[in-house]
């Protein structure tokens, strides 16, 4: 979760660290801190609860120069949100920042009798104190001892009092990327902090010790042997991680969806049919399976729910969707004939990663649908299908969801073709249907005032229900999550036919029900359920296709999306539901991009 950055080089370190932390803040924003060597090679630590802007204010009056330092933005796990629990942690010769969880911190505290010296409640300080005990002037040897003793996940960036200009980094599970650039050496928990300086970077190999100085980066493997990194290139630009005139990243990212879809779909078309040759995904992967198991968390899991509703009838093989945090502790019925599709925007979600590893031990072949190039999930999966959404900064996922869907629809199309469920003509007609969603999304974005106006009714509500059947139900799940996470209004998605089995007791006068009815074959059934909630006084916001004929008394607000093949309506509906959540959050004066308690990348359990 937490964002971490280290810099050594000719430029002003504090500026680079603070700017980097602003880029990384979406990973956690309970507190922020930096540590740096001043011009007399003394380490200073400054940390504060609250956002990076808070920390930045502290530095307006400091003029002394600094060329080496580390910075951290925290998402609290061990110990409350306080200045003392903020990072960096200083212990004797050691100053350290940490992302991850040290699971055995309690037993280490006892074994090394650290209780009296600890000033914070964090597992991270235990690591700092332990490292200080091991440190006898040899950073690599001390770090190795630390790594041998700690259990759990970690990415550490470390400075030693007597090593000015040097930063050491090491990781296990938690992500770290690094680059030597014209501005100097940088290490960070993710790419967004590096892209202002370079497109070329490497992923810090697990358990290797990386040393950064102002003029180079060196890497030692666990045996102490110097190794060269495997360089990677990212095609994101700096603009992609800026708001570019939009008031919030979320709104910008909603607007970017049509472009993101084009970038994800078009390079993979040959004669109008999905072709994954450049992704090195062989057709044989799609032929050799008798079931599909989709695993993910949050929004990515909801993309999986849509995929299930689409793929099962299309391919006529079982498609199961699992929540990664559950799957990883189950005894799954999967084997070498199972195609496991893991979905993750960040490619670092710890539960999804663990689920992927479990699937591989079961002999299943794995395909990862991932947005961040070179991320752990992408690297560990047998095959990877990158979505090309560019960096997604708002904590609430929007464009990543749409491109995940696009990628899954393409996989479905290719599978149907190679498995004989589609002729070539049917495959290209399906793909044409997928491309039609791009103007449909543009239309809904251009009509965003409809959602802006309708949310007035939601602002004072405590509960909201989303209902739909089939694919519409799968979309509803994401609509409810979006509303919850950024407006703090309780929202639940229900299969419309399930309402009568209890939930309808909660429908009283004025309770908002957002009903989605875009599937022709079950339209009348959903409308009956709409009638039932209307009869009990619900405030109904109905979403249908343009052509649908609806009794005007049924809906308090009726939103129409452009007519499409029923299988593709999720795309414009995603825009509608995202905008409803966005404007509700704005209307309640909340922090849209960084909602309370959340973090963008969930790298701890
Ligand atoms: O990076 P991932 O796609 O693996 O993240 C999964 C979820 O944490 C993420 O989708 C989360 O649910 C979003 N905040 C929802 O908007």
């Amino acid at each position: 979760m937490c964002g971490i950055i280290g810099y050594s080089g000719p430029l002003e370190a504090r500026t680079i660290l603070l700017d980097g932390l602003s880029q990384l803040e979406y990973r956690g924003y309970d507190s922020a801190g930096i540590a740096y060597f001043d011009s007399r090679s003394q380490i200073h630590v400054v940390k504060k609860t609250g956002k990076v802007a808070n920390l930045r204010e502290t530095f307006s009056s400091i003029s002394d120069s600094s060329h080496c330092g580390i910075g951290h933005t925290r998402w609290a796990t061990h110990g409350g949100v306080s200045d003392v629990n903020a990072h960096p942690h200083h212990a004797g010769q050691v100053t350290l920042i940490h992302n991850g969880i040290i699971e055995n911190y309690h037993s280490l505290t006892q074994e090394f009798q650290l209780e009296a010296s600890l000033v914070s409640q964090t597992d991270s300080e235990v690591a700092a104190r332990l490292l200080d005990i091991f440190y006898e002037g040899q950073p690599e040897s001390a770090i190795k001892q630390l790594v041998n003793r700690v259990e759990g996940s970690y990415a550490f960036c470390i400075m030693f009092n007597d090593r000015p200009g040097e930063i050491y980094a090491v990781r296990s599970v938690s992500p770290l990327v690094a680059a030597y650039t014209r501005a100097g050496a940088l290490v960070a928990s993710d790419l967004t902090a590096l892209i202002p300086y370079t497109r070329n970077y490497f992923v810090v190999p697990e358990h290797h010790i990386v040393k950064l100085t102002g003029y180079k980066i060196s890497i030692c493997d666990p045996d102490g042997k110097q190794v060269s990194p495997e360089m990677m290139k990212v095609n994101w630009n700096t603009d992609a991680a800026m708001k570019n005139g939009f008031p919030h990243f979320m709104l910008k990212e909603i607007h970017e969806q049509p472009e993101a879809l084009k970038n994800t779909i078009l390079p993979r078309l040959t004669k109008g049919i999905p072709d994954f040759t450049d992704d090195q995904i062989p057709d044989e992967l799609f032929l050799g399976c008798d079931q599909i198991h989709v695993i993910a968390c949050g929004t990515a899991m909801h993309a999986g729910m849509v995929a299930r509703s689409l793929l099962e009838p299309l391919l006529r093989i079982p498609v199961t969707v699992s929540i990664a945090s559950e799957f990883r502790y189950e005894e799954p019925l999967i084997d070498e004939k199972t195609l496991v599709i893991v979905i993750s925007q960040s490619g670092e979600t710890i539960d999804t990663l663990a689920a992927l590893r479990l699937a591989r031990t079961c002999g299943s072949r794995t395909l990862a649908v991932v947005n961040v190039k070179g991320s752990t999930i992408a690297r560990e999966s047998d095959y990877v299908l990158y979505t090309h959404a560019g960096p997604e900064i708002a904590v609430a996922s929007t464009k990543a969801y749409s491109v995940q869907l696009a990628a899954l629809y393409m996989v479905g199309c290719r599978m149907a073709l190679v498995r004989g469920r589609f002729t070539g003509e049917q495959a290209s007609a399906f793909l044409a249907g997928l491309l039609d969603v791009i103007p449909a999304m543009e239309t809904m974005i251009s009509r965003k005032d409809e959602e802006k106006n309708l949310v007035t009714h939601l602002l004072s509500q405590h509960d909201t229900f989303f209902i739909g059947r089939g694919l519409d139900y799968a979309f509803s799940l994401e609509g409810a999550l979006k509303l919850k996470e950024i407006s703090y209004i309780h929202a639940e998605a229900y299969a419309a036919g399930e309402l009568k089995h209890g939930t309808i007791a909660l429908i009283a006068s004025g309770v908002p029900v957002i009903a989605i009815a875009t599937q022709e074959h079950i339209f009348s059934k959903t409308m009956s359920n709409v009638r039932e909630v209307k009869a009990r006084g619900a405030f109904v916001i109905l979403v249908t296709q343009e052509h649908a004929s609806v009794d005007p008394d049924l809906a308090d607000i009726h939103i129409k999306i452009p007519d499409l093949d029923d299988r593709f309506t999720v795309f414009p509906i995603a825009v509608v539901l995202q905008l409803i959540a966005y404007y509700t959050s704005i209307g309640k004066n909340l922090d849209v991009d960084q909602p309370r308690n959340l973090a963008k990348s969930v790298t701890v359990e």
Side-chain angles (χ1 to χ4, degrees):
M1 321 278 270
C2 311
I4 64 183
I5 180 166
Y7 170 75
S8 185
L11 304 183
E12 171 51 51
R14 284 177 306 234
T15 310
I16 292 196
L17 297 174
L18 289 168
D19 290 351
L21 289 183
S22 299
Q23 301 279 3
L24 294 171
E25 195 167 36
Y26 68 122
R27 296 183 67 94
Y29 29 84
D30 292 336
S31 58
I34 65 173
Y36 58 92
F37 283 101
D38 69 11
S39 54
R40 283 162 293 116
S41 298
Q42 300 295 306
I43 290 181
H44 292 262
V45 178
V46 184
K47 49 190 191 173
K48 273 190 155 330
T49 51
K51 298 210 169 183
V52 176
N54 231 13
L55 180 70
R56 202 181 275 274
E57 274 171 22
T58 321
F59 289 98
S60 49
S61 55
I62 298 175
S63 55
D64 188 18
S65 68
S66 162
H67 298 288
C68 176
I70 54 181
H72 187 275
T73 174
R74 178 171 186 242
W75 190 88
T77 57
H78 293 57
V81 177
S82 64
D83 286 354
V84 78
N85 286 339
H87 297 217
H89 290 285
H90 181 73
Q93 294 284 305
V94 169
T95 305
L96 156 157
I97 52 178
H98 168 222
N99 173 28
I101 289 182
I102 306 300
E103 286 166 2
N104 60 337
Y105 80 103
H106 191 60
S107 58
L108 290 171
T109 303
Q110 288 175 331
E111 181 183 341
F112 289 89
Q113 296 174 346
L114 300 175
E115 288 93 342
S117 54
L118 292 175
V119 293
S120 76
Q121 292 83 50
T122 65
D123 53 335
S124 311
E125 191 195 350
V126 171
R129 302 244 163 235
L130 205 55
L131 187 57
D132 183 50
I133 292 172
F134 296 146
Y135 186 60
E136 289 173 345
Q138 299 294 327
E140 285 88 353
S141 143
I143 292 170
K144 229 167 143 177
Q145 291 179 69
L146 176 72
V147 165
N148 285 340
R149 293 309 312 269
V150 292
E151 288 163 17
S153 57
Y154 54 80
F156 292 121
C157 287
I158 307 154
M159 300 196 304
F160 296 92
N161 287 1
D162 58 346
R163 297 275 177 162
E166 295 177 7
I167 295 168
Y168 293 82
V170 66
R171 76 175 193 99
S172 178
V173 186
S174 303
L176 266 186
V177 288
Y180 189 76
T181 75
R182 269 185 290 186
L186 285 140
V187 61
S189 47
D190 66 75
L191 273 177
T192 45
L194 301 189
I195 49 177
Y197 308 98
T198 185
R199 302 278 176 283
N200 302 310
Y201 69 101
F202 63 92
V203 175
V204 172
E206 279 186 299
H207 311 123
H208 286 49
I209 298 174
V210 176
K211 176 180 171 185
L212 295 91
T213 66
Y215 54 93
K216 74 169 186 176
I217 296 183
S218 51
I219 309 166
C220 281
D221 72 10
D223 298 325
K225 209 168 86 214
Q226 293 269 339
V227 294
S228 301
E230 187 189 326
M231 295 306 295
M232 312 196 75
K233 205 176 178 79
V234 66
N235 54 6
W236 297 351
N237 56 32
T238 329
D239 273 9
M242 313 287 262
K243 285 188 196 149
N244 292 345
F246 285 94
H248 301 98
F249 279 111
M250 183 178 176
L251 189 60
K252 173 182 174 248
E253 289 161 5
I254 290 172
H255 276 74
E256 285 173 344
Q257 292 180 105
E259 198 56 34
L261 250 74
K262 284 182 207 159
N263 294 339
T264 300
I265 301 170
L266 297 180
R268 297 187 168 112
L269 293 188
T270 302
K271 297 187 180 151
I273 289 179
D275 176 354
F276 301 121
T277 311
D278 290 348
D279 301 289
Q280 291 165 351
I281 301 171
D283 282 344
E284 186 265 315
L285 179 70
F286 301 139
L287 276 171
C289 59
D290 59 13
Q291 63 161 324
I292 298 176
H293 206 112
V294 184
I295 312 169
C297 298
T299 291
M301 191 270 292
H302 292 157
M305 295 292 283
V306 175
R308 197 198 75 81
S309 297
L310 175 86
L311 297 181
E312 212 167 63
L314 186 64
L315 303 172
R316 302 304 299 155
I317 55 173
V319 181
T320 313
V321 182
S322 286
I323 297 170
S325 54
E326 290 294 312
F327 177 91
R328 63 179 292 189
Y329 295 113
E330 288 169 358
E331 291 172 30
L333 290 172
I334 57 171
D335 56 23
E336 59 287 347
K337 299 279 277 176
T338 309
L339 171 62
V340 167
I341 303 181
V342 294
I343 312 170
S344 176
Q345 187 285 129
S346 61
E348 301 293 350
T349 300
I350 193 134
D351 289 319
T352 311
L353 176 61
L356 167 71
R357 288 177 175 166
L358 174 60
R360 296 195 71 198
T361 64
C362 296
S364 301
R365 295 214 283 169
T366 54
L367 170 65
V369 175
V370 169
N371 194 44
V372 178
K373 207 170 168 189
S375 53
T376 314
I377 290 173
R379 283 181 288 112
E380 292 200 13
S381 180
D382 296 320
Y383 301 96
V384 56
L385 189 57
Y386 282 113
T387 52
H388 297 304
E392 190 180 65
I393 307 293
V395 165
S397 189
T398 53
K399 61 178 179 173
Y401 174 67
S402 312
V403 292
Q404 284 160 357
L405 292 172
L408 294 164
Y409 273 61
M410 291 183 86
V411 166
C413 183
R414 184 79 200 172
M415 280 187 88
L417 180 71
V418 301
R419 295 174 73 95
R421 300 277 314 162
F422 267 171
T423 61
E425 264 170 36
Q426 286 170 318
S428 47
F430 182 89
L431 226 293
L434 181 60
L435 291 173
D436 284 345
V437 310
I438 295 172
M441 290 176 99
E442 281 162 351
T443 302
M444 294 322 289
I445 291 169
S446 71
R447 286 176 16 200
K448 59 179 181 285
D449 279 353
E450 288 180 35
E451 287 80 15
K452 191 175 183 174
N453 297 332
L454 77 79
V455 300
T456 39
H457 183 79
L458 299 184
L459 299 179
S460 55
Q461 302 297 323
H462 297 293
D463 303 293
T464 300
F465 294 90
F466 288 72
I467 60 169
R469 287 170 181 257
L471 269 169
D472 289 335
Y473 168 58
F475 316 159
S476 307
L477 293 166
E478 177 57 10
L481 175 63
K482 245 9 18 127
L483 190 66
K484 273 184 276 210
E485 71 177 330
I486 59 170
S487 78
Y488 316 149
I489 294 174
H490 167 240
E492 281 196 58
Y494 264 87
E498 183 67 11
L499 270 186
K500 287 198 279 289
H501 300 281
T503 312
I504 203 160
L506 297 170
I507 306 294
S509 177
V511 170
V513 174
I514 300 175
I516 304 174
T518 66
Q519 304 298 300
E520 188 57 40
H521 69 292
I522 40 180
F523 182 79
S524 60
K525 304 289 172 199
T526 308
M527 295 315 287
S528 301
N529 302 128
V530 173
R531 228 167 249 119
E532 289 158 5
V533 293
K534 191 71 202 147
R536 283 153 183 87
F539 182 88
V540 173
I541 299 169
L542 178 64
V543 188
T544 67
Q545 298 200 53
E546 191 80 50
H547 69 262
S549 118
V550 173
D551 172 356
D553 294 339
L554 267 191
D556 294 277
I557 294 172
H558 185 181
I559 297 180
K560 295 179 184 173
I561 60 160
D563 287 339
L564 289 170
D565 175 331
D566 290 2
R567 291 171 296 185
F568 301 103
T569 52
V570 61
F571 293 89
I573 286 178
V575 173
V576 171
L577 301 182
Q578 292 160 357
L579 287 168
I580 289 178
Y582 174 77
Y583 285 117
T584 308
S585 179
I586 299 286
K588 292 182 76 179
N589 249 327
L590 298 173
D591 190 338
V592 176
D593 286 336
Q594 295 179 344
R596 72 178 177 217
N597 300 341
L598 299 180
K600 181 76 185 159
S601 185
V602 183
T603 53
V604 295
E605 270 198 74

